[in-house]
Amino acid sequence: YKYGFINRYPADKTEITGTIYEPWHYRYVGKQAAMEIYSQNLCLEEYVEQLRL
């Protein structure tokens, strides 16, 4: 997260992402978004949903 990357499919979010845990799958989202996702323990789907509110 310090460099703007997140683990795309975390182990504890399988039901939300619909994909099994993939420890090698990272996605660049930018430093600010990565920090928010990491600090709130969100997956990308949860973060995007939060932005829509």
Side-chain angles (χ1 to χ4, degrees):
Y1 70 93
K2 294 178 185 178
Y3 302 101
F5 290 90
I6 61 164
N7 183 301
R8 182 60 184 93
Y9 301 110
D12 61 338
K13 304 290 184 168
T14 299
E15 291 183 17
I16 298 168
T17 63
T19 302
I20 61 169
Y21 173 55
E22 294 184 355
W24 63 88
H25 197 138
Y26 285 86
R27 170 138 326 194
Y28 183 79
V29 294
K31 288 183 180 181
Q32 182 64 36
M35 177 63 82
E36 291 176 25
I37 290 168
Y38 176 80
S39 65
Q40 296 176 37
N41 191 32
L42 302 173
C43 64
L44 187 58
E45 287 80 1
E46 292 171 314
Y47 179 71
V48 170
E49 186 61 33
Q50 232 182 31
L51 293 176
R52 292 181 186 174
L53 301 177

